[in-house]
């Protein structure tokens, strides 16, 4: 009997070029490009629909964090024997629950080979797009208007605030510092100046500029939000960081400042951010990530009136930070290779459980 495989949430239809090469006598592949509501937040009828969809399959191919697999869902999938995912970690999969069931979870490394990664490039694009008003001006011109969207904001020499100076935060800060001469300040719960200096060195930057000022300057949380012209979030989502940015932080931001989140929506208290932007208390926000994805059709973030009637400018993209063709294709290519190893009884690469 053929192994039954479900490929979930492949919005661009990239997986077919790899999965369709499998021997149809050995593998029966089904594609589900539409993401249902996450099991834990969905009403019972949607939970049951998700179970009916997935219950027949031996193998599930998932794209990282689009469809979560909590223990409750895994318990209702008795036929599941292998779970494939993209990336080298997936916090949306309950790995202990998989291990208890004897379900291996295999990831796939990113094949992007450039000097910067996709998320870094997307974060920089969103910062510049927001500051220059690209989306608002594009929409205005296409609607027959001309220079009707206000002034652009120059960022050269201004302060770039990095919330989380890890690999991605340091990579974005490096670009903004080198390209625009922005002064970088950084904060996270355990960041020291020595650690910030180490990140500058890893980024190929001097620890200090000619003026003796630190290239990446570790500051207090209060100073970062109070002085930065751009605050960019680059933290890993965990129980400790969930909701770490709230009303008190946002209230410290300058009215001319921008807030950018390309990491994870739940790092920010969404209602607090919405309230600040609706009141126009900062210049704008650029968001690639949200509490619930895909965004519901009635989401306030989908409102076309942002930037009007005293509200802040809002630039939104549908979690595109890692959606680069080379990377996504590489994920699916490696998933198929892992699937063939598993069927052949060979060890799996990038095993998460």
């Amino acid at each position: 009997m053929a192994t039954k495989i479900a490929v979930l949430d492949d919005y661009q239809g990239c997986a077919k070029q790899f999965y369709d090469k499998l021997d149809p006598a050995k593998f029966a592949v089904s594609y589900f490009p539409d993401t249902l509501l996450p099991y834990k937040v969905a009403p019972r009828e949607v939970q049951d629909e998700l179970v009916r969809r997935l219950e027949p399959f031996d193998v599930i191919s998932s794209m990282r964090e689009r469809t979560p697999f909590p223990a409750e869902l895994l318990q209702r999938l008795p036929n599941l024997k292998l779970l494939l995912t993209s990336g080298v970690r997936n916090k949306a999969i309950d790995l202990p629950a998989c291990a208890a069931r004897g379900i291996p979870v295999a990831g796939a490394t990113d094949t992007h080979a450039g000097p910067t990664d996709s998320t870094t490039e997307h974060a920089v694009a969103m910062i510049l797009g927001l500051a220059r008003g690209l989306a608002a001006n594009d929409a205005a011109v296409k609607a027959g208007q001309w220079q009707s969207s206000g002034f652009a904001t120059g960022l050269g020499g201004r302060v770039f605030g990095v919330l989380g100076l890890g690999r991605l935060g340091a990579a974005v800060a490096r670009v903004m510092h080198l390209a625009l001469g922005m002064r970088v300040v950084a904060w996270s719960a355990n960041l020291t100046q020595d650690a910030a200096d180490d990140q500058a060195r890893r980024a190929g930057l001097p620890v200090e500029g000619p003026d003796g000022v630190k290239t990446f300057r570790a500051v207090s949380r209060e100073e970062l939000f109070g002085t930065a012209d751009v605050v960019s979030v680059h933290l890993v989502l965990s129980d400790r960081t969930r909701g770490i940015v709230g009303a008190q932080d946002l209230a410290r931001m300058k009215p001319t400042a921008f807030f950018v989140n390309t990491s994870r929506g739940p790092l920010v208290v969404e209602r607090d951010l919405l309230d600040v932007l609706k009141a126009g208390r900062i210049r704008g926000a650029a968001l690639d990530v949200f509490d619930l994805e895909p965004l519901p059709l009635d989401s306030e973030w989908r409102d076309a009136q942002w930037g009007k009637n005293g509200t802040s400018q809002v630039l939104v993209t549908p979690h595109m930070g890692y959606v680069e063709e080379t990377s996504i294709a590489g994920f699916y290519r490696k998933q198929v290779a892992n699937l063939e190893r598993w069927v052949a009884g060979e060890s799996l690469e990038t095993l998460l459980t």
Side-chain angles (χ1 to χ4, degrees), residues 245-248 250 268-277 281:
V245 179
Q248 189 173 17
L250 298 170
V268 184
V269 180
E270 186 173 69
R271 186 71 257 166
D272 291 349
L273 181 57
L274 278 164
D275 289 345
V276 165
L277 296 171
R281 292 201 289 269

Side-chain angles (χ1 to χ4, degrees), residues 244-264:
I244 193 170
V245 179
Q248 189 173 17
D249 300 307
L250 298 170
R252 291 192 175 96
M253 292 181 67
K254 297 188 288 188
T256 54
F258 298 111
F259 181 83
V260 181
N261 186 6
T262 55
S263 293
R264 290 293 179 272

Side-chain angles (χ1 to χ4, degrees), residues 25-192:
K26 298 180 180 178
F27 301 96
V29 185
S30 299
Y31 299 94
F32 300 96
D34 59 315
T35 300
L36 298 178
L37 279 173
Y39 187 88
K40 281 190 172 182
V41 302
R44 182 67 188 192
E45 58 270 21
V46 178
Q47 293 181 355
D48 292 342
E49 181 183 352
L50 183 60
V51 171
R52 283 193 297 271
R53 171 181 287 189
L54 302 181
E55 193 274 336
F57 295 97
D58 307 295
V59 179
I60 294 175
S61 159
S62 69
M63 182 55 63
R64 183 163 60 96
E65 296 178 3
R66 291 181 181 174
T67 293
F69 286 87
E72 298 93 325
L73 175 58
L74 292 165
Q75 289 167 4
R76 298 183 67 187
L77 303 178
N79 297 312
L80 183 60
K81 301 178 181 66
L82 173 66
L83 188 51
L84 302 168
T85 185
S86 56
V88 296
R89 63 185 179 191
N90 189 337
K91 290 184 177 293
I93 297 174
D94 190 323
L95 296 178
C98 288
R101 279 269 311 277
I103 300 169
V105 181
T109 53
D110 191 345
T111 57
H112 184 95
T116 59
D117 64 24
S118 178
T119 303
T120 298
E121 293 175 13
H122 193 75
V124 171
M126 292 200 77
I127 294 164
L128 294 177
L130 179 64
R132 305 307 301 184
L134 296 187
N137 279 291
D138 175 76
V141 171
K142 289 174 179 175
Q145 301 169 30
W146 192 257
Q147 289 202 16
S148 59
S149 298
F151 291 106
T153 300
L155 298 179
R158 298 200 180 189
V159 178
F160 184 71
V162 187
L163 200 66
L165 193 64
R167 179 180 62 86
L168 289 174
V172 176
R174 176 182 182 275
V175 173
M176 303 309 290
H177 176 71
L178 289 177
L180 298 176
M182 295 193 79
R183 292 169 286 144
V184 178
V185 296
W187 176 87
S188 64
N190 299 310
L191 182 67
T192 64

